[in-house]
Amino acid sequence: MLKLFTTGFWEVVARLILRNKVAILIGIVLVTLFFSYQWKYMRFTFTEANLLPDDHEVNVTYNHFLDIFGEEGNLIVIGVKDSTLFTVDKLNAWNSLSESFKPYEEVETVVSIKDLQKLVKNNEAQKFDLEPFIKDSIHSLEQINTLEKELFQKYPFYDNFLFNKETKTVRTAIYMKKDIVNTSLRKDFIEQILEPKIAEFESANNLDVRVSGMPYIRTLNAKSIIDEIGLFIGAALLVTSLIFFFFFRSFRATFISLIVVCIGVMWTFGILGLFKYEITVLTALIPPLIIVIGIPNCIFLINKFQHEVKLHGNKVKSLQRVITKIGNATLMTNITTASGFATFILTQSKLLKEFGIVASLSILGIFVLCLLIIPIVYTFLPYPKERHLEHLNKRWISTIVDWMVRMVKEHKIAIYSISLVLMIASIIGIYQMKISGSLIEDMPQDTEFFDDIRFFESEFNGIMPLEIMVDTKRKKGVMKLSTLKRMNELEEVINETPELSKPISVVSLLKYSKQAYYNGNPKYYQLPTSQENSFILSYAKNSSSDVDLLKNFVDSTGQYARITTFMKDIGTDRMERIEEDLQAKINKVFPEEQYTITLTGKALVFQKGTKYLVKNLVISLSLAILLISLFMAYMFRSFRMIIVSLIPNLLPLLVTAGLMGFLGVPIKPSTILVFSIAFGISVDDTIHFLAKYRQELQANHWKIRKSVFGALRETGVSMFYTSIVLFFGFSVFTISSFGGTVALGALVSATLLFAMLSNLLLLPSLLLSLERSIANKEVLREPSINIIPEEDEEDLL
């Protein structure tokens, strides 16, 4: 079994492929049709990425909150900041726009200025009545002035909820039904109802309406992801095909490669549908990744075919040698690349696990497609023309190869010095790295909806919900005055925190009730005293269901209460400080034996998830290094070779991490992927170089220097070619409007460039410097896998 991937095995594979061409092509068509059928099961995500395992304490707490109070991310807000709004026609039009959303079945309730009610004391019935600020519609400027005076000065309960009294910004709150807010019905409502109505209102009234809220942000963010999938695939195909054509000067070879990677992309979408995974900002990257990784496979196979044809002119023999000589090498490199992605499967994050499964399967799939389609298609095609073979002379690259050889020969000290300086600088940079737990940082920042997020942050202190749940551990414990006073103390801390909005809770409602009891006098907007509490609550209980003071803020048993605030988009460090301040106040005012207080909400869950992913980064990268080290030990049977091979692959990762620290690129879900992806790809070059080095040692009777330079000249070209493809291929992601995707593309490209230089300069230098301690009989043992067949002394390319 250990000798499975020998030359004999690949000769059998070659015969099977070339003798069963039609059957294999039919099989590929059928498999592609099967995967195409699975596309109907693809789903675009309707929620934020949950980075934590389902059984994680933070998720358990959040789900417990949802069980009691329902979905908290169901609020859409529309707002206007324009002094001309306060005219009769425009204010009536604004109220009509708000009213127009109420009949739709997707909407639970709408709260606008027209819906605001005065809580009025009814002495005869000993209850509170509701009296609207606006009856029917506005008829005069005098009415508007009275409305402004009452809302902005007399009723603090409404301040910073539907208006900002300082800037005169007005907004309307649209609460979607909780059972549909995370479904496609939300998208339909926003795209087919909300946006057209707002556009019509803006056109008719010459007003700029801002829209935000988590349902709206999710919808437009998902739409941006969908739009970019096509953009990435198109850009990746264009860039890689241009580079391919530059290398081969052949439309035919370029077209064949494009067909292969396009089928690979179809398989990737099929795998997503087969597993019924959602398309997220991460899984959306896989199709263009497959193009970028698949093209180097095509380069290896097609170039080897052309090389063989030029050597002896026998097409069948050439195709057979393509499979036997290059099949093993491409399999090994694809396995190591897939291993870099597959390590994410072992993490506990559902998001990363799905990404790892689809990416690793897709990489193996593109290898199979390349190995089957390219040799078979070329059996039906005529011989390559002479102009298609001119690139095999590689004269244009000889200068670069000569420079590399000269550097390794004459400037090893300089190579080591530069490597050492880079390592020290990188370690300094690593200590400056920061973690980002922002929900919106990676969203497209040049879009209108991102500007609207910033607008509502400025005017109303944020749109990301932060919830505090109070468990009194007894029924009706919330309405005890001692509990309410404690909640009020906690709300004071929230009010003093500039990054948090004014809190909303049963405390605010009771303060409003006391103000109403004292005939609307704003100086009585405060908690009732113990004497006042009982009869004010009796008024509330006698009121109609329309004046349900406890709705949405206290559960039906009276045991649980919620304090809702909204948070600005702030850094992880500041968010942690706020959490610590709130927790310190909670510990101080809420006795642990009487209360259980939990902080939760979308913003907090995402921040905790990001920190969790950082821990998983260390785990996944360590697993990738371990897995690939074991793989190389299996191939080379030499512990010393493992150590030597890891050094030039770990240094680029250090340099990238250092750059992130110096450039202020934070660790976040998107940039976390960089290290495992880059390591899995860059180690391919090391495998090729060391395999060729071992072969040269045997051919040159243990002449170390000759073997190193022979391997460098032989593999340097192929490593340069594939690195160029990968560099420009990953650079495609920098055209994204998502900041995290841009960072991912730039960082992986930079890492692979450093890895190429490290493998071409540092690795041969190490082999020369360590000489006898590395190049001993341990390396000469028969390897478990012959990556490059011993009799093949020709260039991989």
Side-chain angles (χ1 to χ4, degrees), residues 11 29 70 73 196 205 216 232 303 444 499 520 526 565 567 577 605 610 675 689 757 767:
E11 287 174 353
V29 170
N205 296 279
Y216 185 76
F232 284 154
N303 218 12
E499 293 87 356
Q526 55 189 243
T565 182
M567 180 181 286
R577 299 293 82 76
V605 170
T610 302
F675 301 97
F689 184 88
L757 294 172
L767 290 172

Side-chain angles (χ1 to χ4, degrees), residues 29 123 144 196 228 323 350 366 406 424 438 484 494 517 548 560 564 567 615 641 731 774 797:
V29 170
N123 285 319
I144 293 177
E228 287 204 346
I323 299 169
K350 181 183 176 186
I366 195 70
R406 189 169 62 253
I424 294 170
S438 167
L484 296 170
I494 296 173
Y517 187 81
D548 186 358
Y560 296 95
T564 300
M567 180 181 286
K615 295 178 183 177
M641 291 292 278
S731 296
I774 292 293
L797 283 177

Side-chain angles (χ1 to χ4, degrees), residues 234-253:
L237 285 171
L238 177 64
V239 169
T240 54
S241 60
L242 285 175
I243 296 171
F244 190 96
F245 183 77
F246 175 76
F247 287 159
F248 287 88
R249 308 289 175 161
S250 168
F251 286 107
R252 185 169 67 191

Side-chain angles (χ1 to χ4, degrees), residues 448-466:
E448 189 176 344
F449 83 86
F450 190 88
D451 292 338
D452 289 352
I453 292 172
R454 295 302 189 203
F455 170 81
F456 283 105
E457 280 190 344
S458 171
E459 297 296 323
F460 296 97
N461 284 10
I463 46 86
M464 291 183 290
L466 178 66

Side-chain angles (χ1 to χ4, degrees), residues 470 472 474 476-492 505-511 513 526-530 532-534 536-537 549-550 553-554 558 560-563 589-590 595:
V470 179
T472 62
R474 57 195 180 278
K476 299 184 180 179
V478 171
M479 300 314 295
K480 289 186 175 293
L481 193 58
S482 58
T483 301
L484 296 170
K485 286 181 177 178
R486 289 184 169 99
M487 290 174 66
N488 189 52
E489 281 191 61
L490 182 57
E491 289 188 15
E492 288 173 0
S505 72
V506 65
V507 172
S508 309
L509 293 166
L510 282 174
K511 288 180 179 179
S513 300
Q526 55 189 243
L527 275 177
T529 63
S530 53
E532 296 167 330
N533 195 40
S534 56
I536 287 177
L537 283 178
L549 297 180
L550 307 183
F553 294 104
V554 181
Y560 296 95
R562 70 190 286 192
I563 301 172
V589 301
F590 290 93
Y595 301 93

Side-chain angles (χ1 to χ4, degrees), residues 331-543:
L331 174 62
M332 296 305 105
T333 54
N334 277 271
I335 286 177
T336 54
T337 302
S339 298
F341 289 90
T343 54
F344 293 117
I345 300 172
L346 302 177
T347 67
Q348 296 301 309
S349 168
K350 181 183 176 186
L351 184 77
L352 285 183
K353 192 173 290 189
E354 291 180 357
F355 176 81
I357 290 171
V358 177
S360 54
L361 289 177
S362 298
I363 289 167
L364 295 178
I366 195 70
F367 162 73
V368 171
L369 287 170
C370 290
L371 190 67
L372 296 178
I373 293 176
I374 289 175
I376 290 174
V377 168
Y378 269 103
T379 62
F380 297 106
L381 297 176
Y383 285 97
K385 296 178 181 178
E386 188 61 33
R387 61 188 173 86
H388 297 151
L389 306 178
E390 290 177 359
H391 69 94
L392 295 173
N393 296 323
K394 302 169 187 170
R395 294 191 185 97
W396 67 274
I397 206 173
S398 60
T399 305
I400 296 175
V401 175
D402 289 342
W403 174 81
M404 291 186 293
V405 171
R406 189 169 62 253
M407 285 295 296
V408 174
K409 269 184 181 178
E410 302 170 7
H411 302 286
K412 288 194 291 293
I413 301 300
I415 292 171
Y416 294 147
S417 300
I418 293 170
S419 299
L420 184 62
V421 169
L422 283 173
M423 185 179 72
I424 294 170
S426 299
I427 292 171
I428 295 170
I430 287 169
Y431 279 99
Q432 299 180 40
M433 291 177 71
K434 295 181 179 178
I435 300 171
S436 170
S438 167
L439 258 173
I440 67 172
E441 184 180 49
D442 277 350
M443 293 180 182
Q445 299 191 12
D446 57 351
T447 56
E448 189 176 344
F449 83 86
F450 190 88
D451 292 338
D452 289 352
I453 292 172
R454 295 302 189 203
F455 170 81
F456 283 105
E457 280 190 344
S458 171
E459 297 296 323
F460 296 97
N461 284 10
I463 46 86
M464 291 183 290
L466 178 66
E467 299 281 356
I468 302 172
M469 187 167 69
V470 179
D471 178 5
T472 62
K473 299 183 180 181
R474 57 195 180 278
K475 290 185 178 181
K476 299 184 180 179
V478 171
M479 300 314 295
K480 289 186 175 293
L481 193 58
S482 58
T483 301
L484 296 170
K485 286 181 177 178
R486 289 184 169 99
M487 290 174 66
N488 189 52
E489 281 191 61
L490 182 57
E491 289 188 15
E492 288 173 0
V493 175
I494 296 173
N495 279 319
E496 292 168 2
T497 306
E499 293 87 356
L500 298 178
S501 69
K502 177 184 173 184
I504 308 169
S505 72
V506 65
V507 172
S508 309
L509 293 166
L510 282 174
K511 288 180 179 179
Y512 190 22
S513 300
K514 180 174 178 177
Q515 180 184 355
Y517 187 81
Y518 286 101
N519 300 313
N521 190 334
K523 76 175 186 179
Y524 287 103
Y525 184 73
Q526 55 189 243
L527 275 177
T529 63
S530 53
Q531 290 86 4
E532 296 167 330
N533 195 40
S534 56
F535 52 81
I536 287 177
L537 283 178
S538 69
Y539 267 67
K541 289 174 183 176
N542 292 337
S543 302

Side-chain angles (χ1 to χ4, degrees), residues 563-760:
I563 301 172
T564 300
T565 182
F566 294 91
M567 180 181 286
K568 287 183 177 180
D569 177 44
I570 54 179
T572 302
D573 291 343
R574 179 58 186 150
M575 194 181 292
E576 288 178 345
R577 299 293 82 76
I578 291 172
E579 186 183 354
E580 288 172 4
D581 292 343
L582 292 175
Q583 196 61 56
K585 190 67 175 179
I586 288 168
N587 295 339
K588 183 178 179 181
V589 301
F590 290 93
E592 192 175 338
E593 63 276 7
Q594 297 179 40
Y595 301 93
T596 299
I597 313 298
T598 51
L599 297 175
T600 188
K602 295 284 186 189
L604 195 65
V605 170
F606 192 84
Q607 182 250 333
K608 297 288 187 184
T610 302
K611 293 202 73 175
Y612 178 83
L613 279 193
V614 174
K615 295 178 183 177
N616 275 263
L617 162 66
V618 178
I619 295 170
S620 63
L621 185 57
S622 300
L623 285 170
I625 294 170
L626 176 63
L627 189 62
I628 291 170
S629 298
L630 291 173
F631 187 61
M632 295 181 75
Y634 176 57
M635 287 190 296
F636 296 110
R637 295 188 175 184
S638 169
F639 177 76
R640 293 187 180 114
M641 291 292 278
I642 294 170
I643 301 301
V644 170
S645 65
L646 287 179
I647 292 172
N649 286 292
L650 292 179
L651 180 61
L653 300 186
L654 281 176
V655 172
T656 300
L659 279 175
M660 290 174 67
F662 287 125
L663 298 177
V665 178
I667 286 285
K668 49 189 175 182
S670 50
T671 55
I672 277 172
L673 303 174
V674 169
F675 301 97
S676 293
I677 291 173
F679 183 78
I681 295 174
S682 66
V683 81
D684 295 349
D685 286 343
T686 307
I687 291 173
H688 276 297
F689 184 88
L690 291 180
K692 189 64 182 175
Y693 170 62
R694 181 191 174 281
Q695 186 188 91
E696 290 287 329
L697 278 172
Q698 292 179 322
N700 295 317
H701 307 291
W702 211 246
K703 293 178 182 177
I704 297 167
R705 292 180 65 81
K706 186 176 180 181
S707 300
V708 169
F709 294 126
L712 184 56
R713 288 188 181 278
E714 288 288 329
T715 59
V717 178
S718 64
M719 290 160 70
F720 181 78
Y721 275 8
T722 54
S723 294
I724 290 296
V725 173
L726 291 167
F727 176 82
F728 285 104
F730 277 100
S731 296
V732 161
F733 294 123
T734 59
I735 66 174
S736 172
S737 57
F738 291 83
T741 306
V742 172
L744 173 70
L747 290 170
V748 172
S749 295
T751 308
L752 293 177
L753 190 61
F754 283 126
M756 179 191 72
L757 294 172
S758 186
N759 277 302
L760 289 173

